[in-house]
Amino acid sequence: MTSRSLLRLALAGAVTSGAVLLATLPADASKAPPRTVPVRLLALNDFHGHLEPPTGSSGRMVDEHGHTVDAGGAAYIAAHMKSLADQNTIAVAQGDLIGGTPLISAAYHDEPSIEFMDKLGLKVAAVGNHEFDEGYAELRRIMDGGCHPVDGCSPAGEWKGAQFDYVGANVLFKNPNEKTDALAALGAKQTEVKKLLADWGVPALPPVSVKWMNGVPIGFIGLVTQTTPSIVTTEGIKDLKFVDEVKAANIASKILKLVGVKAQVVLVHEGDQVNTGQSPDACSAIPGAGNRIATQVDPEIDMVLSGHSHQAYLCKVKDPAGNDRVYSQGGSFGRVITQVDMNVNLRTRDIERASVVADNHVVTRTVAPDPEISAFVQTWKDRVAPVANKAVGTITTDITHTAAPSGETPLGNLIADAQLAATKTGGNAQIALMNPGGVRAPLTYATSPSNEGDGVVTYGEAFTTQPFNNLMQVVTLTGAQLKTVLEQQFTGGPNNQAFTKILQPSANFTYTYSRSAAWGSKVSDMKIDGVPVTDTQTIRVAANNFLVGGGDAFLAFRDGTDLWSGPLDIDAFVDYLGANTPAAPPATNRITAID
C-alpha cells in the first residue's frame, strides 16, 4: 500500500476535500434539542487469541468483591458484550488481539481471532507489539485481506481482512523520501495538517480513526509501546520506527482538532504494573510507562485506555491542564471488559469530563455462553484437532515455568536443552540460551479428563508453551561477548534493560552472578562442560532469532558472527520430547546466585 493510500486511511471519516464532516440534528419545533448525547465504549485488550477459555491462573480473575473467579473465553466475552452494549456503543481494543496465541488461532495466522473480533462488532483497535510478531507485511495482510503467502488460504477460504480499523500513530516509516508523496495526498487546502505531518513523519498505519455516534464524531488515537523493536523480531519491522508515544499522540490530537474532532480517546498498548489482589475497579496501578503517557498527552485528549501489562485498573489522573481523565486497563486474555459511559456536548462536540463513568466487568463463566460464538470456536477447534491432539511425548510430572531463586525455571531449562540438541548438528552449537518471556505456559501431567494422569504431551500443549514460531539460530561469540550478554540480563547497564530477565541455559553451561555487584561485574565463573570459559575463546551459542536479533534488550547478541539458521523452536522442542520421553523436570542448578 502506498503512503498516499495510508494517509487517506489515516484521515478517513475526518476530512473530505478539506471540509469537516459535521452531522446536523433534525429540527424539532415542539421541543428544545438535547444539550448532550450519550456514548458508551466497551474495550478489550491483550486478547492473544484465547478463543477457548484460558486455563490455570491465566483463566482466573479477582472480581469486584475480592473473589477469584474463572473468567474469559470467546463465547463468554460475546455474551457479556451483548448484555453491556446498547444503541450508543462503540467497541474498541488496545492491542495484542493476536500474536502469542494458542494453536487454535496461531495455526491459521490468527485469522480466527480477527474474525471473532469482527463478530463482536469491534470498530477500532490500537496495534500492540504482538501484532508485529510476523512482521509488518503480515499485519497489512491481516488488515487488508488475502491468503497467507506461504501457507495459503485457511479452511475458511480467502481471508477478507479485518472489518475494524487498526491504528498506530507512533508507527512510522524510516524512509523520509516517502514524505512528499504522502503529504500531497491531503490536498492543497490542508496546509496546517501537512505542516504537522512534515514535522512528524510518514505513518505506516492509520494514526487515527473517527467514529460517529449520535451525531457527534469520536476520534480514536492508536499508540503502541515504543519498546516494540526490542520485543519483536527485527527483520519484520526493519523499515519501521516506533517513536515516543506522547509526541505522536499530541500530533494526532492536533490533526483531529484541526478537522473538528474534539472528543478524543487514546487507545495505547502500554501500561503499568499493579499492587496485586485488588478489585479490577481499583486504582491499583503503580505509576510507570503507562502513567507517563496518561498524564502527559495533550489536554484535548479526554481519556486513555491502555494495555500491554496485562493488569486491570481504573484510575483518574490529571492531564497537563490539571483536569481529571480516566486511565484504565482490562487485564488480558478476554477476562475483563472495560465499560466507559460519557456525554458529548452537541454544541462543542467535546466530551464532558464530569460525565465520564468507567467500570471494569469481569467476564465470568456463570452466564450462558453465546451459542453462535460457541459454534464458531468449535468449528476452528475441529479444524485444528488433528494437529493439536497428536501426542509428541510424555512427562513424569508437571514441568513448570515458576522461577527458582536463580531465575531458572524447569521448563525454561528443558527448552534450552531441546534447542541445544537441535542445533548441534549443522550449527555446531556448544550451548543454548532461551528467553524467559518466550515460555508462556507450563506442561501439566494431568491436562484434561480424557488423559488425566497419563502425562501425555500433545502438539497443542507443546505449542502453548512457546507459541511464537521463532527460528533457531547459532552465532559465534567470544567469551567476553557471552559475558556481556549475561550482564545484559540485569538492569543498570547501557542496554536499558527494563527489569531483570534471566536467560534459561542448557545443562552444560553454568555460571555465577552476584545480585549486589555493579553492572558489568555481576557474572563470573562461566563454564562449558565444566571447563572455564576464557575471554578470547570462541563459542557457538544457540538461541531463537528473536534473541539473536537483540530482542529483550540483549543487544550483545548482535555482535555474533557466522550466523546459522535451523529449525523452528517448536519443532526442536517437539523432537526433543519425542526422543527423551518420559521427560522429567530438569534441576534448576545451572546458575548460582549470590548476594
Side-chain angles (χ1 to χ4, degrees):
M1 181 172 285
T2 66
S3 52
R4 183 188 301 270
S5 300
L6 287 169
L7 276 174
R8 286 194 182 117
L9 281 170
L11 297 173
V15 181
T16 299
S17 300
V20 180
L21 295 176
L22 295 179
T24 58
L25 294 174
D28 187 345
S30 65
K31 61 179 181 179
R35 185 178 64 84
T36 64
V37 291
V39 176
R40 172 172 292 180
L41 305 181
L42 294 178
L44 286 168
N45 59 275
D46 296 272
F47 178 62
H48 288 290
H50 278 74
L51 296 172
E52 296 182 90
T55 59
S57 61
S58 296
R60 294 190 290 269
M61 196 77 201
V62 175
D63 68 11
E64 296 88 342
H65 308 292
H67 303 136
T68 299
V69 299
D70 292 336
Y76 296 103
I77 296 170
H80 282 272
M81 288 282 281
K82 284 183 177 179
S83 70
L84 294 171
D86 62 14
Q87 68 271 24
N88 309 309
T89 296
I90 304 172
V92 301
Q94 295 96 267
D96 277 10
L97 301 178
I98 60 177
T101 54
L103 189 64
I104 186 175
S105 182
Y108 306 105
H109 299 279
D110 284 325
E111 292 173 20
S113 292
I114 297 299
E115 185 177 355
F116 166 61
M117 292 296 157
D118 289 336
K119 289 180 179 294
L120 277 186
L122 188 69
K123 297 304 181 185
V124 56
V127 290
N129 55 284
H130 280 283
E131 263 78 15
F132 296 92
D133 278 352
E134 294 190 51
Y136 174 71
E138 172 62 5
L139 173 58
R140 294 300 323 189
R141 185 190 74 83
I142 287 294
M143 293 169 63
D144 302 330
C147 295
H148 192 272
V150 175
D151 295 334
C153 294
S154 81
E158 182 173 357
W159 176 240
K160 300 299 191 295
Q163 301 305 301
F164 59 88
D165 299 333
Y166 258 131
V167 287
N170 65 326
V171 186
L172 309 178
F173 286 117
K174 288 181 178 177
N175 184 2
N177 295 327
E178 299 189 43
K179 190 177 294 184
T180 301
D181 178 60
L183 297 178
L186 291 172
K189 293 183 180 181
Q190 299 300 319
T191 54
E192 291 178 278
V193 175
K194 287 161 66 175
K195 183 179 185 301
L196 281 171
L197 290 173
D199 294 336
W200 180 23
V202 178
L205 297 168
V208 299
S209 175
V210 178
K211 301 300 177 187
W212 289 77
M213 179 57 65
N214 294 331
V216 293
I218 313 295
F220 296 94
I221 300 167
L223 301 169
V224 61
T225 173
Q226 64 179 308
T227 67
T228 295
S230 71
I231 51 180
V232 302
T233 303
T234 304
E235 180 63 23
I237 58 167
K238 62 183 179 181
D239 297 323
L240 306 178
K241 59 182 178 180
F242 296 77
V243 300
D244 179 76
E245 304 95 340
V246 173
K247 178 181 178 181
N250 290 349
I251 292 174
S253 174
K254 287 181 172 62
I255 291 174
L256 286 173
K257 190 173 181 179
L258 280 171
V259 296
V261 181
K262 296 182 179 179
Q264 299 181 9
V265 178
V266 159
L267 306 173
V268 57
H269 192 72
E270 180 63 282
D272 292 327
Q273 296 303 315
V274 299
N275 293 307
T276 59
Q278 298 193 40
S279 163
D281 290 330
C283 183
S284 55
I286 301 168
N291 182 272
R292 180 187 76 88
I293 297 165
T295 56
Q296 293 184 14
V297 293
D298 195 285
E300 190 68 46
I301 293 166
D302 297 289
M303 67 190 66
V304 176
L305 309 184
S306 70
H308 190 49
S309 59
H310 290 203
Q311 307 300 331
Y313 48 80
L314 280 180
C315 296
K316 281 192 176 180
V317 298
K318 296 294 184 183
D319 70 16
N323 300 314
D324 285 342
R325 64 178 162 208
V326 164
Y327 167 50
S328 72
Q329 188 175 160
S332 62
F333 307 147
R335 294 175 294 168
V336 174
I337 296 168
T338 302
Q339 174 184 335
V340 184
D341 288 309
M342 67 195 81
N343 292 327
V344 182
N345 188 293
L346 284 169
R347 182 182 63 81
T348 66
R349 295 183 179 268
D350 205 352
I351 294 169
E352 295 190 345
R353 297 273 185 100
S355 73
V356 177
V357 178
D359 191 3
N360 271 341
H361 299 277
V362 175
V363 178
T364 61
R365 300 180 201 164
T366 54
V367 302
D370 182 272
E372 178 191 355
I373 300 302
S374 292
F376 169 77
V377 173
Q378 187 62 48
T379 296
W380 286 103
K381 189 175 178 180
D382 292 343
R383 286 168 173 167
V384 81
V387 175
N389 295 335
K390 181 181 178 182
V392 297
T394 61
I395 55 178
T396 61
T397 188
D398 292 353
I399 304 181
T400 73
H401 60 331
T402 302
S406 65
E408 300 170 75
T409 73
L411 185 53
N413 284 356
L414 183 68
I415 291 172
D417 291 342
Q419 293 180 347
L420 178 59
T423 54
K424 279 185 175 180
T425 301
N428 299 316
Q430 295 170 266
I431 65 170
L433 296 170
M434 174 63 186
N435 56 307
V439 185
R440 307 297 279 195
L443 290 177
T444 53
Y445 188 80
T447 55
S448 69
S450 61
N451 65 352
E452 185 174 355
D454 62 8
V456 170
V457 178
T458 64
Y459 183 89
E461 291 161 354
F463 185 90
T464 299
T465 67
Q466 45 170 5
F468 298 108
N469 276 318
N470 286 320
L471 195 66
M472 288 310 306
Q473 295 186 317
V474 183
V475 292
T476 298
L477 296 174
T478 66
Q481 289 170 332
L482 176 59
K483 183 179 183 298
T484 299
V485 166
L486 298 180
E487 291 284 342
Q488 290 179 341
Q489 297 174 121
F490 307 101
T491 60
N495 59 321
N496 292 318
Q497 186 65 270
F499 52 89
T500 296
K501 299 176 183 177
I502 300 298
L503 297 172
Q504 311 293 287
S506 54
N508 65 330
F509 179 54
T510 61
Y511 69 93
T512 296
Y513 73 80
S514 168
R515 297 184 181 92
S516 60
W519 195 94
S521 301
K522 288 182 174 290
V523 175
S524 62
D525 198 27
M526 296 188 300
K527 294 179 181 178
I528 299 175
D529 295 318
V531 179
V533 173
T534 67
D535 285 349
T536 56
Q537 76 179 90
T538 58
I539 304 157
R540 295 288 285 165
V541 181
N544 58 48
N545 61 305
F546 167 70
L547 275 178
V548 170
D552 270 348
F554 287 98
L555 304 183
F557 262 114
R558 297 180 184 176
D559 297 328
T561 59
D562 300 322
L563 176 68
W564 175 88
S565 296
L568 292 174
D569 55 2
I570 181 60
D571 293 337
F573 189 43
V574 165
D575 289 348
Y576 189 80
L577 288 173
N580 295 272
T581 197
T588 51
N589 58 0
R590 304 172 185 184
I591 304 171
T592 300
I594 60 176
D595 292 329

